[in-house]
Amino acid sequence: RNKFPPPRRFHRNCDKHLDAMVGNLDALVAMEEESTPVAYQWLLQFMVLVYVSFYPWCVTHETAFMLLFTTAIMSFVYYGLNTITHEHEEPFGQFGADLNLQRSYEYFFDVLAGQQSETPAVSRANSSGHRAESPQVPG
């Protein structure tokens, strides 16, 4: 049997979930920090550009059309992977594929406020100005 009355359990559960949210928010903030320096990102982009630029001179056994096609596909793949990597490094934002933390927290607190308004009042003043009695749990 639970030794706490339902409103107290509700508040204890809310505190537990809010503590978990704060811990998760700390983890999200740590994830949001830049994981690779900008200079490293520039170096990677430069190396991809050099590789794609020098590829046609290194391959001699392909026709001109096939060489143009493979170079275009290679540049599309390498720069596409680079763009996806940048998107994964910064997952938080306001765009469609991003995680919108503000909207998520607003929804959570709206649901929490709705649940709290449905719980019985423990210490709210009633219409006569007296405090409401807390419900007695048979024990």
Side-chain angles (χ1 to χ4, degrees):
R1 284 204 130 179
N2 287 328
K3 57 185 175 183
F4 299 109
R8 176 112 191 264
R9 269 184 292 183
F10 174 77
H11 290 293
R12 193 179 63 192
N13 286 337
C14 287
D15 288 341
K16 180 178 68 171
H17 290 296
L18 286 174
D19 287 342
M21 282 178 48
V22 168
N24 291 335
L25 181 63
D26 289 342
L28 290 174
V29 168
M31 284 174 43
E32 189 176 16
E33 292 177 359
E34 188 175 322
S35 59
T36 56
V38 175
Y40 179 74
Q41 294 172 5
W42 289 348
L43 176 67
L44 186 62
Q45 290 175 356
F46 177 73
M47 294 303 289
V48 168
L49 177 68
V50 167
Y51 181 77
V52 170
S53 299
F54 285 124
Y55 178 75
W57 282 278
C58 298
V59 178
T60 58
H61 63 278
E62 290 185 1
T63 64
F65 175 74
M66 191 55 136
L67 188 60
L68 176 68
F69 180 72
T70 56
T71 305
I73 294 296
M74 261 189 349
S75 61
F76 176 76
V77 167
Y78 285 138
Y79 284 111
L81 286 173
N82 193 23
T83 303
I84 289 172
T85 304
H86 283 293
E87 186 66 31
H88 282 291
E89 284 185 4
E90 298 177 20
F92 309 109
Q94 305 293 328
F95 302 109
D98 294 338
L99 299 173
N100 191 337
L101 292 179
Q102 180 179 358
R103 187 175 54 198
S104 298
Y105 277 102
E106 285 174 357
Y107 174 75
F108 172 76
F109 285 117
D110 287 344
V111 169
L112 187 64
Q115 288 177 354
Q116 191 171 13
S117 66
E118 293 172 4
T119 60
V122 174
S123 62
R124 289 189 196 141
N126 59 17
S127 60
S128 63
H130 294 79
R131 290 186 163 248
E133 293 290 323
S134 63
Q136 297 296 324
V137 177

